[in-house]
């Protein structure tokens, strides 16, 4: 299967988009612990990502709250369950790892949920940035805490003008 890629210029840096001709499988940050670069055998083709680019443009402009894209994140069954649950966190809201674990019916699995959250291959679109510590503090994020703060502030400004995350 051929993998295509494109670097999307966003307010949080150039994001790596990758996937095949039918689905997005990766959104990589330019920095942080989940920084990603394209593989040498991937083919650059912006045209494969027209819908992704359009929806990201709308999201960063504060005009889109939900993504409607074909996604193909690769992971274990547990990771897939966590990533699906992330899409159920409402725009502009945050849940703790414990709330997310409770939501998937595994109330004692907060650490495992956190690990799966940290391996989300399609951040922003699968909104792992909406998960925070039980104390309300921003916790680790693959794109860096500054990026997490930016995304949460973008969403809260659209939903509740004046609310800010530090």
């Amino acid at each position: 299967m051929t993998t295509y890629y494109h670097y999307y210029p966003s307010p949080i840096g150039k994001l790596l988009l990758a996937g095949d001709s039918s689905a997005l499988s990766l959104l990589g940050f330019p920095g942080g612990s989940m920084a990603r670069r394209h593989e040498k055998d991937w083919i650059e083709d912006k045209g494969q990502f027209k819908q992704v680019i359009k929806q990201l443009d709308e999201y960063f402009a504060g005009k889109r709250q939900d993504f409607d894209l074909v996604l193909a994140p690769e992971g274990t069954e547990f990771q897939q369950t966590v990533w699906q649950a992330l899409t159920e966190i409402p725009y502009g809201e945050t849940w703790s790892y414990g709330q997310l674990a409770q939501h998937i019916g595994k109330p004692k699995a907060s650490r495992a949920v956190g690990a799966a959250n940290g391996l989300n291959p399609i951040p922003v679109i699968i909104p792992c940035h909406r998960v925070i510590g039980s104390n309300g503090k921003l916790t680790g994020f693959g794109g860096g805490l500054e990026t997490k703060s930016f995304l949460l502030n973008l969403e809260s400004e659209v939903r509740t003008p004046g609310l800010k995350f530090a």
Side-chain angles (χ1 to χ4, degrees), residues 3-10 13-19 24 26-28 36-39 42-50 52-54 56-57:
T3 300
Y4 299 97
Y5 77 95
H6 172 67
Y7 285 94
Y8 169 76
S10 81
K14 284 188 178 181
L15 303 177
L16 171 63
L17 307 176
L24 182 71
L26 175 74
L27 184 151
R36 293 292 307 265
R37 301 290 302 160
H38 66 278
E39 304 286 332
W42 294 0
I43 299 168
E44 183 166 14
D45 185 354
K46 181 180 180 179
Q48 297 291 331
F49 302 100
K50 287 179 184 169
V52 178
I53 292 166
K54 177 183 181 289
L56 284 170
D57 283 347

PDB file of all heavy atoms in Angstrom, residues 3-10 13-19 24 26-28 36-39 42-50 52-54 56-57:
ATOM      1  N   THR A   3       1.854   5.016   0.830  1.00  0.00           N
ATOM      2  CA  THR A   3       1.591   6.039   1.835  1.00  0.00           C
ATOM      3  C   THR A   3       1.950   7.395   1.245  1.00  0.00           C
ATOM      4  O   THR A   3       3.036   7.583   0.706  1.00  0.00           O
ATOM      5  CB  THR A   3       2.411   5.799   3.120  1.00  0.00           C
ATOM      6  OG1 THR A   3       2.056   4.514   3.647  1.00  0.00           O
ATOM      7  CG2 THR A   3       2.127   6.864   4.164  1.00  0.00           C
ATOM      8  N   TYR A   4       1.007   8.317   1.347  1.00  0.00           N
ATOM      9  CA  TYR A   4       1.201   9.684   0.877  1.00  0.00           C
ATOM     10  C   TYR A   4       1.394  10.586   2.090  1.00  0.00           C
ATOM     11  O   TYR A   4       0.950  10.265   3.186  1.00  0.00           O
ATOM     12  CB  TYR A   4      -0.031  10.148   0.089  1.00  0.00           C
ATOM     13  CG  TYR A   4      -0.303   9.315  -1.132  1.00  0.00           C
ATOM     14  CD1 TYR A   4      -1.228   8.280  -1.102  1.00  0.00           C
ATOM     15  CD2 TYR A   4       0.377   9.556  -2.325  1.00  0.00           C
ATOM     16  CE1 TYR A   4      -1.473   7.500  -2.223  1.00  0.00           C
ATOM     17  CE2 TYR A   4       0.136   8.785  -3.452  1.00  0.00           C
ATOM     18  CZ  TYR A   4      -0.790   7.759  -3.384  1.00  0.00           C
ATOM     19  OH  TYR A   4      -1.023   6.985  -4.502  1.00  0.00           O
ATOM     20  N   TYR A   5       2.019  11.739   1.864  1.00  0.00           N
ATOM     21  CA  TYR A   5       2.190  12.687   2.960  1.00  0.00           C
ATOM     22  C   TYR A   5       2.158  14.113   2.449  1.00  0.00           C
ATOM     23  O   TYR A   5       2.336  14.385   1.258  1.00  0.00           O
ATOM     24  CB  TYR A   5       3.491  12.423   3.726  1.00  0.00           C
ATOM     25  CG  TYR A   5       4.746  12.909   3.029  1.00  0.00           C
ATOM     26  CD1 TYR A   5       5.287  14.164   3.328  1.00  0.00           C
ATOM     27  CD2 TYR A   5       5.385  12.130   2.063  1.00  0.00           C
ATOM     28  CE1 TYR A   5       6.430  14.620   2.691  1.00  0.00           C
ATOM     29  CE2 TYR A   5       6.524  12.572   1.433  1.00  0.00           C
ATOM     30  CZ  TYR A   5       7.046  13.811   1.741  1.00  0.00           C
ATOM     31  OH  TYR A   5       8.174  14.274   1.100  1.00  0.00           O
ATOM     32  N   HIS A   6       1.918  15.020   3.389  1.00  0.00           N
ATOM     33  CA  HIS A   6       1.943  16.462   3.120  1.00  0.00           C
ATOM     34  C   HIS A   6       2.208  17.156   4.458  1.00  0.00           C
ATOM     35  O   HIS A   6       1.736  16.708   5.496  1.00  0.00           O
ATOM     36  CB  HIS A   6       0.605  16.926   2.544  1.00  0.00           C
ATOM     37  CG  HIS A   6       0.490  18.420   2.432  1.00  0.00           C
ATOM     38  ND1 HIS A   6       1.255  19.171   1.568  1.00  0.00           N
ATOM     39  CD2 HIS A   6      -0.289  19.299   3.107  1.00  0.00           C
ATOM     40  CE1 HIS A   6       0.948  20.449   1.711  1.00  0.00           C
ATOM     41  NE2 HIS A   6       0.018  20.555   2.634  1.00  0.00           N
ATOM     42  N   TYR A   7       2.960  18.238   4.413  1.00  0.00           N
ATOM     43  CA  TYR A   7       3.167  19.051   5.610  1.00  0.00           C
ATOM     44  C   TYR A   7       2.196  20.228   5.559  1.00  0.00           C
ATOM     45  O   TYR A   7       2.256  21.064   4.656  1.00  0.00           O
ATOM     46  CB  TYR A   7       4.619  19.533   5.713  1.00  0.00           C
ATOM     47  CG  TYR A   7       5.550  18.421   6.142  1.00  0.00           C
ATOM     48  CD1 TYR A   7       6.235  17.664   5.198  1.00  0.00           C
ATOM     49  CD2 TYR A   7       5.709  18.099   7.482  1.00  0.00           C
ATOM     50  CE1 TYR A   7       7.071  16.621   5.580  1.00  0.00           C
ATOM     51  CE2 TYR A   7       6.545  17.062   7.882  1.00  0.00           C
ATOM     52  CZ  TYR A   7       7.221  16.331   6.924  1.00  0.00           C
ATOM     53  OH  TYR A   7       8.030  15.294   7.305  1.00  0.00           O
ATOM     54  N   TYR A   8       1.298  20.262   6.517  1.00  0.00           N
ATOM     55  CA  TYR A   8       0.259  21.282   6.595  1.00  0.00           C
ATOM     56  C   TYR A   8       0.723  22.425   7.504  1.00  0.00           C
ATOM     57  O   TYR A   8       1.003  22.204   8.684  1.00  0.00           O
ATOM     58  CB  TYR A   8      -1.024  20.651   7.141  1.00  0.00           C
ATOM     59  CG  TYR A   8      -2.095  21.643   7.521  1.00  0.00           C
ATOM     60  CD1 TYR A   8      -2.864  22.271   6.547  1.00  0.00           C
ATOM     61  CD2 TYR A   8      -2.341  21.960   8.855  1.00  0.00           C
ATOM     62  CE1 TYR A   8      -3.853  23.186   6.893  1.00  0.00           C
ATOM     63  CE2 TYR A   8      -3.325  22.868   9.216  1.00  0.00           C
ATOM     64  CZ  TYR A   8      -4.073  23.478   8.225  1.00  0.00           C
ATOM     65  OH  TYR A   8      -5.042  24.390   8.571  1.00  0.00           O
ATOM     66  N   PRO A   9       0.804  23.653   6.962  1.00  0.00           N
ATOM     67  CA  PRO A   9       1.216  24.789   7.799  1.00  0.00           C
ATOM     68  C   PRO A   9       0.058  25.231   8.701  1.00  0.00           C
ATOM     69  O   PRO A   9      -0.974  25.662   8.217  1.00  0.00           O
ATOM     70  CB  PRO A   9       1.572  25.868   6.767  1.00  0.00           C
ATOM     71  CG  PRO A   9       0.761  25.528   5.554  1.00  0.00           C
ATOM     72  CD  PRO A   9       0.566  24.030   5.572  1.00  0.00           C
ATOM     73  N   SER A  10       0.236  25.081  10.001  1.00  0.00           N
ATOM     74  CA  SER A  10      -0.833  25.414  10.946  1.00  0.00           C
ATOM     75  C   SER A  10      -0.311  26.430  11.959  1.00  0.00           C
ATOM     76  O   SER A  10       0.891  26.669  12.032  1.00  0.00           O
ATOM     77  CB  SER A  10      -1.282  24.143  11.676  1.00  0.00           C
ATOM     78  OG  SER A  10      -0.400  23.842  12.738  1.00  0.00           O
ATOM     79  N   GLY A  13       2.530  24.992  13.976  1.00  0.00           N
ATOM     80  CA  GLY A  13       3.683  24.475  13.235  1.00  0.00           C
ATOM     81  C   GLY A  13       3.253  23.586  12.082  1.00  0.00           C
ATOM     82  O   GLY A  13       2.067  23.343  11.874  1.00  0.00           O
ATOM     83  N   LYS A  14       4.236  23.117  11.327  1.00  0.00           N
ATOM     84  CA  LYS A  14       3.946  22.260  10.169  1.00  0.00           C
ATOM     85  C   LYS A  14       3.598  20.856  10.644  1.00  0.00           C
ATOM     86  O   LYS A  14       4.437  20.158  11.207  1.00  0.00           O
ATOM     87  CB  LYS A  14       5.150  22.208   9.219  1.00  0.00           C
ATOM     88  CG  LYS A  14       5.300  23.453   8.399  1.00  0.00           C
ATOM     89  CD  LYS A  14       6.377  23.274   7.350  1.00  0.00           C
ATOM     90  CE  LYS A  14       6.472  24.524   6.510  1.00  0.00           C
ATOM     91  NZ  LYS A  14       7.473  24.391   5.463  1.00  0.00           N
ATOM     92  N   LEU A  15       2.355  20.469  10.397  1.00  0.00           N
ATOM     93  CA  LEU A  15       1.868  19.163  10.814  1.00  0.00           C
ATOM     94  C   LEU A  15       2.028  18.167   9.671  1.00  0.00           C
ATOM     95  O   LEU A  15       1.649  18.453   8.539  1.00  0.00           O
ATOM     96  CB  LEU A  15       0.393  19.246  11.211  1.00  0.00           C
ATOM     97  CG  LEU A  15       0.044  20.250  12.310  1.00  0.00           C
ATOM     98  CD1 LEU A  15      -1.459  20.284  12.543  1.00  0.00           C
ATOM     99  CD2 LEU A  15       0.789  19.914  13.596  1.00  0.00           C
ATOM    100  N   LEU A  16       2.565  17.010   9.977  1.00  0.00           N
ATOM    101  CA  LEU A  16       2.710  15.949   8.989  1.00  0.00           C
ATOM    102  C   LEU A  16       1.392  15.207   8.873  1.00  0.00           C
ATOM    103  O   LEU A  16       0.882  14.675   9.860  1.00  0.00           O
ATOM    104  CB  LEU A  16       3.817  14.972   9.406  1.00  0.00           C
ATOM    105  CG  LEU A  16       3.944  13.687   8.592  1.00  0.00           C
ATOM    106  CD1 LEU A  16       4.301  13.979   7.134  1.00  0.00           C
ATOM    107  CD2 LEU A  16       4.973  12.755   9.229  1.00  0.00           C
ATOM    108  N   LEU A  17       0.830  15.190   7.671  1.00  0.00           N
ATOM    109  CA  LEU A  17      -0.360  14.398   7.378  1.00  0.00           C
ATOM    110  C   LEU A  17       0.100  13.201   6.575  1.00  0.00           C
ATOM    111  O   LEU A  17       0.872  13.355   5.620  1.00  0.00           O
ATOM    112  CB  LEU A  17      -1.359  15.215   6.552  1.00  0.00           C
ATOM    113  CG  LEU A  17      -1.756  16.584   7.098  1.00  0.00           C
ATOM    114  CD1 LEU A  17      -2.676  17.302   6.130  1.00  0.00           C
ATOM    115  CD2 LEU A  17      -2.402  16.447   8.471  1.00  0.00           C
ATOM    116  N   ALA A  18      -0.361  12.011   6.914  1.00  0.00           N
ATOM    117  CA  ALA A  18       0.029  10.819   6.169  1.00  0.00           C
ATOM    118  C   ALA A  18      -1.124   9.836   6.132  1.00  0.00           C
ATOM    119  O   ALA A  18      -1.929   9.751   7.064  1.00  0.00           O
ATOM    120  CB  ALA A  18       1.263  10.168   6.791  1.00  0.00           C
ATOM    121  N   GLY A  19      -1.182   9.096   5.040  1.00  0.00           N
ATOM    122  CA  GLY A  19      -2.212   8.084   4.889  1.00  0.00           C
ATOM    123  C   GLY A  19      -2.179   7.509   3.500  1.00  0.00           C
ATOM    124  O   GLY A  19      -1.319   7.862   2.677  1.00  0.00           O
ATOM    125  N   LEU A  24      -6.792   8.926   6.488  1.00  0.00           N
ATOM    126  CA  LEU A  24      -5.685   9.547   7.211  1.00  0.00           C
ATOM    127  C   LEU A  24      -5.252   8.606   8.325  1.00  0.00           C
ATOM    128  O   LEU A  24      -6.085   8.130   9.102  1.00  0.00           O
ATOM    129  CB  LEU A  24      -6.134  10.886   7.804  1.00  0.00           C
ATOM    130  CG  LEU A  24      -5.080  11.694   8.562  1.00  0.00           C
ATOM    131  CD1 LEU A  24      -4.045  12.263   7.595  1.00  0.00           C
ATOM    132  CD2 LEU A  24      -5.736  12.828   9.350  1.00  0.00           C
ATOM    133  N   LEU A  26      -2.096   9.294  10.120  1.00  0.00           N
ATOM    134  CA  LEU A  26      -1.118   9.951  10.982  1.00  0.00           C
ATOM    135  C   LEU A  26      -1.208  11.463  10.843  1.00  0.00           C
ATOM    136  O   LEU A  26      -1.342  11.995   9.742  1.00  0.00           O
ATOM    137  CB  LEU A  26       0.300   9.504  10.580  1.00  0.00           C
ATOM    138  CG  LEU A  26       1.466  10.175  11.295  1.00  0.00           C
ATOM    139  CD1 LEU A  26       1.586   9.638  12.715  1.00  0.00           C
ATOM    140  CD2 LEU A  26       2.754   9.907  10.548  1.00  0.00           C
ATOM    141  N   LEU A  27      -1.141  12.136  11.997  1.00  0.00           N
ATOM    142  CA  LEU A  27      -0.944  13.579  12.039  1.00  0.00           C
ATOM    143  C   LEU A  27       0.202  13.772  13.019  1.00  0.00           C
ATOM    144  O   LEU A  27       0.062  13.457  14.200  1.00  0.00           O
ATOM    145  CB  LEU A  27      -2.211  14.300  12.519  1.00  0.00           C
ATOM    146  CG  LEU A  27      -2.145  15.833  12.498  1.00  0.00           C
ATOM    147  CD1 LEU A  27      -3.529  16.420  12.289  1.00  0.00           C
ATOM    148  CD2 LEU A  27      -1.502  16.392  13.742  1.00  0.00           C
ATOM    149  N   GLY A  28       1.339  14.211  12.513  1.00  0.00           N
ATOM    150  CA  GLY A  28       2.526  14.350  13.344  1.00  0.00           C
ATOM    151  C   GLY A  28       2.854  15.793  13.651  1.00  0.00           C
ATOM    152  O   GLY A  28       2.703  16.668  12.801  1.00  0.00           O
ATOM    153  N   ARG A  36       7.132  13.916  14.361  1.00  0.00           N
ATOM    154  CA  ARG A  36       7.228  12.906  13.303  1.00  0.00           C
ATOM    155  C   ARG A  36       7.721  13.547  12.014  1.00  0.00           C
ATOM    156  O   ARG A  36       7.453  14.711  11.739  1.00  0.00           O
ATOM    157  CB  ARG A  36       5.854  12.278  13.027  1.00  0.00           C
ATOM    158  CG  ARG A  36       5.292  11.454  14.159  1.00  0.00           C
ATOM    159  CD  ARG A  36       6.066  10.160  14.448  1.00  0.00           C
ATOM    160  NE  ARG A  36       6.258   9.316  13.311  1.00  0.00           N
ATOM    161  CZ  ARG A  36       5.490   8.299  12.953  1.00  0.00           C
ATOM    162  NH1 ARG A  36       4.447   7.993  13.681  1.00  0.00           N
ATOM    163  NH2 ARG A  36       5.768   7.582  11.890  1.00  0.00           N
ATOM    164  N   ARG A  37       8.416  12.758  11.233  1.00  0.00           N
ATOM    165  CA  ARG A  37       8.859  13.147   9.888  1.00  0.00           C
ATOM    166  C   ARG A  37       8.404  12.041   8.937  1.00  0.00           C
ATOM    167  O   ARG A  37       8.196  10.908   9.350  1.00  0.00           O
ATOM    168  CB  ARG A  37      10.387  13.266   9.826  1.00  0.00           C
ATOM    169  CG  ARG A  37      11.004  14.276  10.784  1.00  0.00           C
ATOM    170  CD  ARG A  37      10.741  15.711  10.467  1.00  0.00           C
ATOM    171  NE  ARG A  37      11.203  16.057   9.142  1.00  0.00           N
ATOM    172  CZ  ARG A  37      10.786  17.111   8.459  1.00  0.00           C
ATOM    173  NH1 ARG A  37       9.895  17.909   8.969  1.00  0.00           N
ATOM    174  NH2 ARG A  37      11.253  17.369   7.268  1.00  0.00           N
ATOM    175  N   HIS A  38       8.313  12.367   7.671  1.00  0.00           N
ATOM    176  CA  HIS A  38       7.887  11.363   6.693  1.00  0.00           C
ATOM    177  C   HIS A  38       8.974  10.308   6.469  1.00  0.00           C
ATOM    178  O   HIS A  38      10.160  10.569   6.701  1.00  0.00           O
ATOM    179  CB  HIS A  38       7.508  12.041   5.369  1.00  0.00           C
ATOM    180  CG  HIS A  38       8.664  12.681   4.665  1.00  0.00           C
ATOM    181  ND1 HIS A  38       9.127  13.936   5.002  1.00  0.00           N
ATOM    182  CD2 HIS A  38       9.461  12.228   3.672  1.00  0.00           C
ATOM    183  CE1 HIS A  38      10.170  14.231   4.230  1.00  0.00           C
ATOM    184  NE2 HIS A  38      10.391  13.207   3.423  1.00  0.00           N
ATOM    185  N   GLU A  39       8.562   9.138   6.051  1.00  0.00           N
ATOM    186  CA  GLU A  39       9.491   8.058   5.715  1.00  0.00           C
ATOM    187  C   GLU A  39       9.971   8.274   4.286  1.00  0.00           C
ATOM    188  O   GLU A  39       9.270   8.877   3.467  1.00  0.00           O
ATOM    189  CB  GLU A  39       8.788   6.699   5.832  1.00  0.00           C
ATOM    190  CG  GLU A  39       8.167   6.425   7.198  1.00  0.00           C
ATOM    191  CD  GLU A  39       9.188   6.094   8.260  1.00  0.00           C
ATOM    192  OE1 GLU A  39      10.263   5.565   7.916  1.00  0.00           O
ATOM    193  OE2 GLU A  39       8.909   6.368   9.447  1.00  0.00           O
ATOM    194  N   TRP A  42       7.644   7.232   1.339  1.00  0.00           N
ATOM    195  CA  TRP A  42       6.341   7.860   1.198  1.00  0.00           C
ATOM    196  C   TRP A  42       6.378   8.849   0.032  1.00  0.00           C
ATOM    197  O   TRP A  42       7.426   9.397  -0.306  1.00  0.00           O
ATOM    198  CB  TRP A  42       5.951   8.604   2.461  1.00  0.00           C
ATOM    199  CG  TRP A  42       5.726   7.715   3.659  1.00  0.00           C
ATOM    200  CD1 TRP A  42       5.833   6.356   3.726  1.00  0.00           C
ATOM    201  CD2 TRP A  42       5.381   8.147   4.961  1.00  0.00           C
ATOM    202  NE1 TRP A  42       5.560   5.916   4.995  1.00  0.00           N
ATOM    203  CE2 TRP A  42       5.285   7.000   5.784  1.00  0.00           C
ATOM    204  CE3 TRP A  42       5.146   9.391   5.535  1.00  0.00           C
ATOM    205  CZ2 TRP A  42       4.948   7.061   7.128  1.00  0.00           C
ATOM    206  CZ3 TRP A  42       4.825   9.457   6.872  1.00  0.00           C
ATOM    207  CH2 TRP A  42       4.718   8.303   7.664  1.00  0.00           C
ATOM    208  N   ILE A  43       5.219   9.117  -0.539  1.00  0.00           N
ATOM    209  CA  ILE A  43       5.107  10.007  -1.700  1.00  0.00           C
ATOM    210  C   ILE A  43       4.410  11.304  -1.269  1.00  0.00           C
ATOM    211  O   ILE A  43       3.309  11.259  -0.716  1.00  0.00           O
ATOM    212  CB  ILE A  43       4.306   9.330  -2.834  1.00  0.00           C
ATOM    213  CG1 ILE A  43       5.036   8.060  -3.282  1.00  0.00           C
ATOM    214  CG2 ILE A  43       4.073  10.293  -3.987  1.00  0.00           C
ATOM    215  CD1 ILE A  43       4.217   7.161  -4.180  1.00  0.00           C
ATOM    216  N   GLU A  44       5.047  12.438  -1.556  1.00  0.00           N
ATOM    217  CA  GLU A  44       4.418  13.717  -1.219  1.00  0.00           C
ATOM    218  C   GLU A  44       3.318  14.013  -2.230  1.00  0.00           C
ATOM    219  O   GLU A  44       3.549  13.977  -3.444  1.00  0.00           O
ATOM    220  CB  GLU A  44       5.436  14.861  -1.198  1.00  0.00           C
ATOM    221  CG  GLU A  44       4.785  16.153  -0.767  1.00  0.00           C
ATOM    222  CD  GLU A  44       5.754  17.254  -0.401  1.00  0.00           C
ATOM    223  OE1 GLU A  44       6.946  17.128  -0.715  1.00  0.00           O
ATOM    224  OE2 GLU A  44       5.294  18.240   0.197  1.00  0.00           O
ATOM    225  N   ASP A  45       2.121  14.283  -1.723  1.00  0.00           N
ATOM    226  CA  ASP A  45       0.978  14.553  -2.593  1.00  0.00           C
ATOM    227  C   ASP A  45      -0.090  15.294  -1.794  1.00  0.00           C
ATOM    228  O   ASP A  45      -0.918  14.678  -1.115  1.00  0.00           O
ATOM    229  CB  ASP A  45       0.408  13.249  -3.165  1.00  0.00           C
ATOM    230  CG  ASP A  45      -0.708  13.489  -4.176  1.00  0.00           C
ATOM    231  OD1 ASP A  45      -1.144  14.652  -4.364  1.00  0.00           O
ATOM    232  OD2 ASP A  45      -1.152  12.488  -4.782  1.00  0.00           O
ATOM    233  N   LYS A  46      -0.066  16.599  -1.874  1.00  0.00           N
ATOM    234  CA  LYS A  46      -1.027  17.437  -1.153  1.00  0.00           C
ATOM    235  C   LYS A  46      -2.461  17.107  -1.542  1.00  0.00           C
ATOM    236  O   LYS A  46      -3.377  17.170  -0.724  1.00  0.00           O
ATOM    237  CB  LYS A  46      -0.716  18.912  -1.442  1.00  0.00           C
ATOM    238  CG  LYS A  46      -1.627  19.901  -0.747  1.00  0.00           C
ATOM    239  CD  LYS A  46      -1.241  21.323  -1.090  1.00  0.00           C
ATOM    240  CE  LYS A  46      -2.150  22.327  -0.411  1.00  0.00           C
ATOM    241  NZ  LYS A  46      -1.763  23.708  -0.720  1.00  0.00           N
ATOM    242  N   GLY A  47      -2.657  16.717  -2.790  1.00  0.00           N
ATOM    243  CA  GLY A  47      -3.995  16.433  -3.307  1.00  0.00           C
ATOM    244  C   GLY A  47      -4.719  15.319  -2.568  1.00  0.00           C
ATOM    245  O   GLY A  47      -5.954  15.280  -2.549  1.00  0.00           O
ATOM    246  N   GLN A  48      -3.983  14.416  -1.947  1.00  0.00           N
ATOM    247  CA  GLN A  48      -4.599  13.320  -1.196  1.00  0.00           C
ATOM    248  C   GLN A  48      -5.260  13.810   0.097  1.00  0.00           C
ATOM    249  O   GLN A  48      -6.012  13.068   0.717  1.00  0.00           O
ATOM    250  CB  GLN A  48      -3.539  12.264  -0.830  1.00  0.00           C
ATOM    251  CG  GLN A  48      -2.907  11.581  -2.010  1.00  0.00           C
ATOM    252  CD  GLN A  48      -3.877  10.655  -2.746  1.00  0.00           C
ATOM    253  OE1 GLN A  48      -4.795  10.098  -2.167  1.00  0.00           O
ATOM    254  NE2 GLN A  48      -3.658  10.510  -4.035  1.00  0.00           N
ATOM    255  N   PHE A  49      -4.972  15.049   0.475  1.00  0.00           N
ATOM    256  CA  PHE A  49      -5.402  15.550   1.786  1.00  0.00           C
ATOM    257  C   PHE A  49      -6.313  16.769   1.697  1.00  0.00           C
ATOM    258  O   PHE A  49      -6.421  17.531   2.656  1.00  0.00           O
ATOM    259  CB  PHE A  49      -4.164  15.858   2.639  1.00  0.00           C
ATOM    260  CG  PHE A  49      -3.275  14.650   2.810  1.00  0.00           C
ATOM    261  CD1 PHE A  49      -2.147  14.511   2.027  1.00  0.00           C
ATOM    262  CD2 PHE A  49      -3.601  13.649   3.715  1.00  0.00           C
ATOM    263  CE1 PHE A  49      -1.331  13.385   2.156  1.00  0.00           C
ATOM    264  CE2 PHE A  49      -2.800  12.530   3.847  1.00  0.00           C
ATOM    265  CZ  PHE A  49      -1.667  12.396   3.063  1.00  0.00           C
ATOM    266  N   LYS A  50      -6.992  16.955   0.564  1.00  0.00           N
ATOM    267  CA  LYS A  50      -7.833  18.148   0.382  1.00  0.00           C
ATOM    268  C   LYS A  50      -8.861  18.314   1.487  1.00  0.00           C
ATOM    269  O   LYS A  50      -9.026  19.403   2.037  1.00  0.00           O
ATOM    270  CB  LYS A  50      -8.536  18.094  -0.986  1.00  0.00           C
ATOM    271  CG  LYS A  50      -7.618  18.358  -2.141  1.00  0.00           C
ATOM    272  CD  LYS A  50      -8.360  18.275  -3.454  1.00  0.00           C
ATOM    273  CE  LYS A  50      -7.381  18.447  -4.606  1.00  0.00           C
ATOM    274  NZ  LYS A  50      -7.969  18.129  -5.886  1.00  0.00           N
ATOM    275  N   VAL A  52      -8.873  16.917   4.520  1.00  0.00           N
ATOM    276  CA  VAL A  52      -8.192  17.096   5.802  1.00  0.00           C
ATOM    277  C   VAL A  52      -7.762  18.557   5.947  1.00  0.00           C
ATOM    278  O   VAL A  52      -8.005  19.189   6.981  1.00  0.00           O
ATOM    279  CB  VAL A  52      -6.968  16.163   5.934  1.00  0.00           C
ATOM    280  CG1 VAL A  52      -6.242  16.393   7.256  1.00  0.00           C
ATOM    281  CG2 VAL A  52      -7.375  14.699   5.793  1.00  0.00           C
ATOM    282  N   ILE A  53      -7.148  19.102   4.903  1.00  0.00           N
ATOM    283  CA  ILE A  53      -6.679  20.491   4.921  1.00  0.00           C
ATOM    284  C   ILE A  53      -7.849  21.450   5.099  1.00  0.00           C
ATOM    285  O   ILE A  53      -7.785  22.369   5.926  1.00  0.00           O
ATOM    286  CB  ILE A  53      -5.879  20.799   3.634  1.00  0.00           C
ATOM    287  CG1 ILE A  53      -4.565  20.015   3.649  1.00  0.00           C
ATOM    288  CG2 ILE A  53      -5.650  22.295   3.471  1.00  0.00           C
ATOM    289  CD1 ILE A  53      -3.845  19.976   2.310  1.00  0.00           C
ATOM    290  N   LYS A  54      -8.932  21.224   4.361  1.00  0.00           N
ATOM    291  CA  LYS A  54     -10.114  22.084   4.464  1.00  0.00           C
ATOM    292  C   LYS A  54     -10.652  22.081   5.894  1.00  0.00           C
ATOM    293  O   LYS A  54     -10.927  23.136   6.469  1.00  0.00           O
ATOM    294  CB  LYS A  54     -11.185  21.591   3.488  1.00  0.00           C
ATOM    295  CG  LYS A  54     -12.500  22.351   3.548  1.00  0.00           C
ATOM    296  CD  LYS A  54     -13.515  21.727   2.570  1.00  0.00           C
ATOM    297  CE  LYS A  54     -14.823  22.455   2.561  1.00  0.00           C
ATOM    298  NZ  LYS A  54     -15.634  22.278   3.755  1.00  0.00           N
ATOM    299  N   LEU A  56      -9.084  21.130   8.721  1.00  0.00           N
ATOM    300  CA  LEU A  56      -8.121  21.730   9.653  1.00  0.00           C
ATOM    301  C   LEU A  56      -8.151  23.251   9.554  1.00  0.00           C
ATOM    302  O   LEU A  56      -8.100  23.944  10.577  1.00  0.00           O
ATOM    303  CB  LEU A  56      -6.713  21.198   9.408  1.00  0.00           C
ATOM    304  CG  LEU A  56      -6.436  19.789   9.926  1.00  0.00           C
ATOM    305  CD1 LEU A  56      -5.085  19.284   9.411  1.00  0.00           C
ATOM    306  CD2 LEU A  56      -6.471  19.733  11.447  1.00  0.00           C
ATOM    307  N   ASP A  57      -8.236  23.788   8.331  1.00  0.00           N
ATOM    308  CA  ASP A  57      -8.357  25.241   8.151  1.00  0.00           C
ATOM    309  C   ASP A  57      -9.570  25.765   8.919  1.00  0.00           C
ATOM    310  O   ASP A  57      -9.489  26.780   9.623  1.00  0.00           O
ATOM    311  CB  ASP A  57      -8.508  25.609   6.667  1.00  0.00           C
ATOM    312  CG  ASP A  57      -7.217  25.546   5.879  1.00  0.00           C
ATOM    313  OD1 ASP A  57      -6.121  25.466   6.483  1.00  0.00           O
ATOM    314  OD2 ASP A  57      -7.299  25.557   4.628  1.00  0.00           O
TER     315      ASP A  57
END
